C-alpha cells in the first residue's frame, strides 16, 4: 500500500470541502445550502451505483406506469425519483419540491421543512437507459421568497432567481457539475474513495464552437430560423468549414459536451411541439444557469431563457444554449426572420 500517495490524497479538493469553502466566504451563511447539497450528492452517488448495475439488478425496462408527461416511466426513473425525494426530505432544508415524475409539487412535511425549494429531473435521458448510453440527473435550487411556508409560486419564478443549479452525468465516469452562483465547477466521482473530487475548476464554455446538436429527425417541422441555422452549419459559405453534428439524446450528456467543447445544443419549438419538448423548471433553467455562469448564453427563440416566468410546473420551452457566439448567430436569424 503506497501510504505516501494515500496521505497525499487527503488534501484533495472534495465537493464537500469545496462547498464548505464557498460557505465560509459568506459570514451570514447558516450552512443550510451546504447540507441540502450534501443530500443531493448522496442521491447522485446512490443513483450512479444503481445505473452502473442496472442490467444486473433488473433495473432495465419499464416500471409499468405513465408520468404526467404521458411518458412510460422506466424502472430507473421511478427509483431515482424515490431516492431524491427521500434524500431531499431527510435533509431538513427543503420545502417545496418539483419532480418531472410527480404530477403536482411536493410539500415536505412541516417538521422537516427548510428554506429551499428544489426542482429536479431525477433521471434525464430515459430513452438511453436500456442501451447503456450516458444519462443524468438535473437540479435547480430556489430560496423561499419570504421564508415562510412554501407555496408553488416559490418555484414559478424566473430561472435567474435560482441560487444554485447542477447536474450529475452517469457516463464513462460519474461527474457532478455545479454552480452556486460563482462560476461552474466539475467534480469526478472517485469510486475508491466514494468522494467527488474537483477535476474541472472554473469551467468556461468556448466562445465559439464547431459542433451543433439537435434531433434532425424533427427538421421538417422546424421554423425558418432553425432550418436556416442548420443549413448554414452544414453548408457554410465564405470558406468556413461545416460544423459537426453530435446528438446523444440525453440533455445532460449533450449539454456536458457543449460546456466542454463548445458549440450549440438546441431543442427548438416545431409544428409538432409548439413549445419544444424540454421542461422549463428542471431541464432548461438549470442548464441555462450553468451555461451562463460558464460564459455562454441560453435563448428560447424569443428571449433569454433565465428571464422566462413559468406559469405551470411542467411547462415546456424551446431552448438554444451553448457558446456565446453560436447562440448569437441563431438570435440574429430570429431577428432577421421577424419572429422576434
Ligand atoms: O428523443 P428526442 O425527441 O430527441 O428527445 C431527447 C430529449 O428528451 C430527453 O430525454 C427528455 O428528458 P427525460 O429523459 O428526463 O424525459 C432529454 O434528455 C433529451 O434531450
Ligand atoms: Mg430530462
Ligand atoms: Mg427524466
Amino acid at each position: 500500500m503506497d501510504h505516501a500517495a494515500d496521505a497525499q490524497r487527503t488534501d484533495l479538493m472534495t465537493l464537500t470541502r469545496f462547498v464548505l469553502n464557498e460557505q465560509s466566504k459568506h459570514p451570514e451563511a447558516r450552512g443550510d445550502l451546504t447540507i441540502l447539497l450534501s443530500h443531493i450528492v448522496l442521491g447522485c452517488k446512490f443513483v450512479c451505483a444503481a445505473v452502473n448495475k442496472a442490467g444486473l439488478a433488473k433495473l432495465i425496462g419499464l416500471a409499468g406506469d405513465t408520468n404526467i408527461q404521458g411518458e412510460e416511466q422506466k424502472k430507473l426513473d421511478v427509483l431515482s425519483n424515490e431516492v431524491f425525494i427521500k434524500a431531499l426530505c431527510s435533509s431538513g432544508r427543503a420545502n417545496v419540491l418539483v419532480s418531472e415524475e410527480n404530477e403536482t409539487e411536493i410539500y415536505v412535511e412541516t417538521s422537516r421543512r427548510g428554506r429551499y425549494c428544489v426542482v429536479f429531473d431525477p433521471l434525464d435521458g430515459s430513452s438511453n437507459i436500456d442501451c447503456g448510453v450516458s444519462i443524468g440527473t438535473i437540479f435547480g435550487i430556489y430560496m423561499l421568497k419570504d421564508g415562510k411556508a412554501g407555496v408553488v409560486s416559490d418555484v414559478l419564478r424566473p430561472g435567474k432567481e435560482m441560487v444554485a443549479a447542477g447536474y450529475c452525468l452517469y457516463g464513462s465516469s460519474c461527474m457532478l457539475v455545479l454552480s452556486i452562483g460563482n462560476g461552474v465547477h466539475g467534480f469526478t466521482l472517485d469510486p475508491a474513495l466514494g468522494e467527488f473530487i474537483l477535476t474541472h475548476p472554473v469551467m468556461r464554455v468556448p466562445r465559439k464552437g464547431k459542433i451543433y446538436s439537435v434531433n434532425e429527425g424533427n427538421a421538417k417541422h422546424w421554423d425558418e430560423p432553425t432550418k436556416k441555422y442548420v443549413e448554414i452549419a452544414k453548408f457554410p459559405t465564405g470558406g468556413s468549414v461545416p460544423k459537426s453534428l453530435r446528438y446523444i439524446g440525453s440533455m445532460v450528456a449533450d449539454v456536458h459536451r457543449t460546456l466542454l467543447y463548445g458549440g450549440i445544443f438546441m431543442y427548438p419549438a416545431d409544428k409538432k411541439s409548439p413549445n419544444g419538448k424540454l421542461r422549463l423548471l428542471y431541464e432548461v433553467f438549470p442548464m441555462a444557469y450553468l451555461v451562463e455562469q460558464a460564459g455562454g448564453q441560453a435563448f428560447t427563440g424569443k428571449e433569454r431563457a433565465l428571464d422566462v416566468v413559468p406559469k405551470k410546473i411542467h411547462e415546456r420551452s424551446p431552448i438554444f444554449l451553448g457558446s456565446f457566439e453560436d447562440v448569437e448567430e441563431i438570435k440574429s436569424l430570429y431577428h432577421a426572420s421577424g419572429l422576434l
Side-chain angles (χ1 to χ4, degrees), residues 125-145:
S126 308
S127 63
N128 280 325
I129 295 171
D130 296 357
C131 59
V133 168
S134 299
I135 49 182
T137 292
I138 310 172
F139 61 91
I141 301 174
Y142 291 92
M143 187 179 254
L144 283 183
K145 267 192 289 195

Side-chain angles (χ1 to χ4, degrees), residues 100 121 123-126 215 247 249-251 267 277 279 283:
E100 176 197 4
D121 178 353
L123 209 286
D124 176 67
S126 308
N215 182 344
Y247 190 71
S250 297
M251 186 187 195
Y267 208 110
K277 174 179 181 176
R279 282 56 57 118
E283 289 172 322

Side-chain angles (χ1 to χ4, degrees), residues 170-303:
Y170 312 116
S172 48
S173 65
C174 177
M175 270 199 75
L176 198 145
V177 173
L178 175 71
S179 180
I180 39 185
N182 176 17
V184 178
H185 310 278
F187 303 82
T188 304
L189 183 63
D190 179 327
L193 288 180
E195 281 283 357
F196 281 101
I197 308 296
L198 181 63
T199 49
H200 296 64
V202 197
M203 294 170 75
R204 298 297 292 173
V205 57
R207 183 97 184 150
K208 191 167 178 39
K210 299 187 179 81
I211 293 171
Y212 72 102
S213 181
V214 65
N215 182 344
E216 291 217 35
N218 299 327
K220 76 172 186 191
H221 305 293
W222 287 342
D223 60 20
E224 280 319 306
T226 306
K227 280 187 182 148
K228 189 95 188 114
Y229 182 86
V230 171
E231 170 90 13
I232 295 167
K234 286 180 173 178
F235 311 104
T237 52
S240 338
V241 290
K243 290 181 189 284
S244 300
L245 171 63
R246 294 284 182 277
Y247 190 71
I248 298 165
S250 297
M251 186 187 195
V252 168
D254 282 314
V255 172
H256 186 65
R257 183 204 55 248
T258 304
L259 269 176
L260 291 173
Y261 295 174
I264 189 168
F265 167 78
M266 40 188 166
Y267 208 110
D270 61 39
K271 297 186 194 77
K272 206 168 33 109
S273 354
N275 294 314
K277 174 179 181 176
L278 301 172
R279 282 56 57 118
L280 198 51
L281 266 188
Y282 42 80
E283 289 172 322
V284 169
F285 277 167
M287 294 310 201
Y289 186 94
L290 291 164
V291 164
E292 281 203 9
Q293 283 280 326
Q297 58 174 320
F299 172 62
T300 65
K302 288 197 176 71
E303 61 188 307

